[in-house]
Amino acid sequence: FSADPHFYRNYRSIKKTVDIPRGDPRDPLTEAEIIEKFSSFAGARDRKKVAQFTEIIMNLETIDNFADALKRK
């Protein structure tokens, strides 16, 4: 399996074959990269709420009840 992403620069297509794409379990994203990616997908939403939700998600293993964690924030 290999990923075949296309990148565009100055309206030119640049093709690069990647055997193990970033985020694959064999080449995982760092915590900072996960947070950055999540924040970028959150777009123009309330940054404080995005930060609070990010904190909950990054600490799921310490949360007993997900619904209660959401209510507290």
Side-chain angles (χ1 to χ4, degrees):
F1 172 75
S2 67
D4 196 13
H6 287 268
F7 300 97
Y8 294 92
R9 187 177 298 146
N10 299 329
Y11 303 102
R12 294 182 310 148
S13 174
I14 300 170
K15 184 176 174 180
K16 179 180 179 182
T17 300
V18 180
D19 291 327
I20 301 173
R22 284 296 283 143
D24 184 274
R26 295 168 291 173
D27 189 14
L29 297 173
T30 65
E31 185 173 314
E33 290 170 323
I34 293 169
I35 292 168
E36 180 181 336
K37 186 173 184 176
F38 175 75
S39 297
S40 72
F41 285 129
R45 290 173 177 74
D46 182 339
R47 291 194 183 277
K48 183 178 178 184
K49 288 182 181 179
V50 170
Q52 290 171 338
F53 193 72
T54 301
E55 182 181 337
I56 291 169
I57 296 301
M58 296 309 291
N59 294 293
L60 280 176
E61 62 276 351
T62 65
I63 296 173
D64 293 326
N65 187 315
F66 186 72
D68 287 345
L70 288 176
K71 289 177 189 173
R72 281 185 261 142
K73 298 291 180 179

